[in-house]
Amino acid sequence: MAEEESIELKFRLFDGTDIGPNKHEPSTTVASLKEFIIARWPQDKEIAPGTINDVKLINAGKILDNNLTVAESTVSVGGLPGGVITMHVVVRPPVFDKNNEKKQDKSPKHNRCGCSIL
């Protein structure tokens, strides 16, 4: 039996900076990838995720479900083995109530990502 090879991923943040590339096992879940991203989030960013629910991972134009594995979520890179796969990271910014300085549960519709998926 052939052993599954690690998949090399990098995560592109909203401002164009990257986390990675790092190797991940094909059986790693998307939720685990989100935890990995949060743990390595650059401290100098104004917007930072608090939980995995604040993070959306996009690969090949699709938002990835937390229960999927890396193997189920990736698309082969032009048939080239060993290529680095870039996933885009979208973060839901915290919304504060101006009167109480507490986070609101609903985010306004005008906070949208400037990413274009072609």
Side-chain angles (χ1 to χ4, degrees):
M1 273 189 184
E3 211 175 293
E4 289 187 80
E5 288 187 31
S6 298
I7 299 172
E8 197 163 10
L9 302 174
K10 71 177 174 181
F11 304 99
R12 175 84 24 102
L13 306 183
F14 56 88
D15 64 354
T17 59
D18 292 332
I19 295 175
N22 296 96
K23 292 189 178 203
H24 299 274
E25 294 302 315
S27 59
T28 305
T29 64
V30 170
S32 295
L33 292 178
K34 290 179 178 183
E35 289 171 357
F36 174 86
I37 292 166
I38 292 170
R40 286 156 186 79
W41 195 263
Q43 297 299 314
D44 61 340
K45 302 288 181 219
E46 188 174 317
I47 298 173
T51 68
I52 63 169
N53 294 327
D54 295 339
V55 177
K56 289 187 196 275
L57 278 182
I58 301 171
N59 184 46
K62 295 182 181 177
I63 296 174
L64 306 180
D65 183 80
N66 286 344
N67 299 323
L68 293 177
T69 64
V70 171
E72 296 166 331
S73 304
T74 57
V75 177
S76 104
V77 185
L80 298 173
V84 177
I85 297 171
T86 301
M87 293 187 178
H88 292 265
V89 180
V90 178
V91 177
R92 181 177 60 181
V95 178
F96 294 94
D97 181 355
K98 291 179 184 175
N99 297 329
N100 297 333
E101 293 297 321
K102 291 184 180 178
K103 289 183 183 179
Q104 291 179 348
D105 292 333
K106 297 179 182 179
S107 70
K109 297 293 181 197
H110 59 61
N111 285 344
R112 296 184 184 218
C113 175
C115 298
S116 297
I117 311 266
L118 302 176

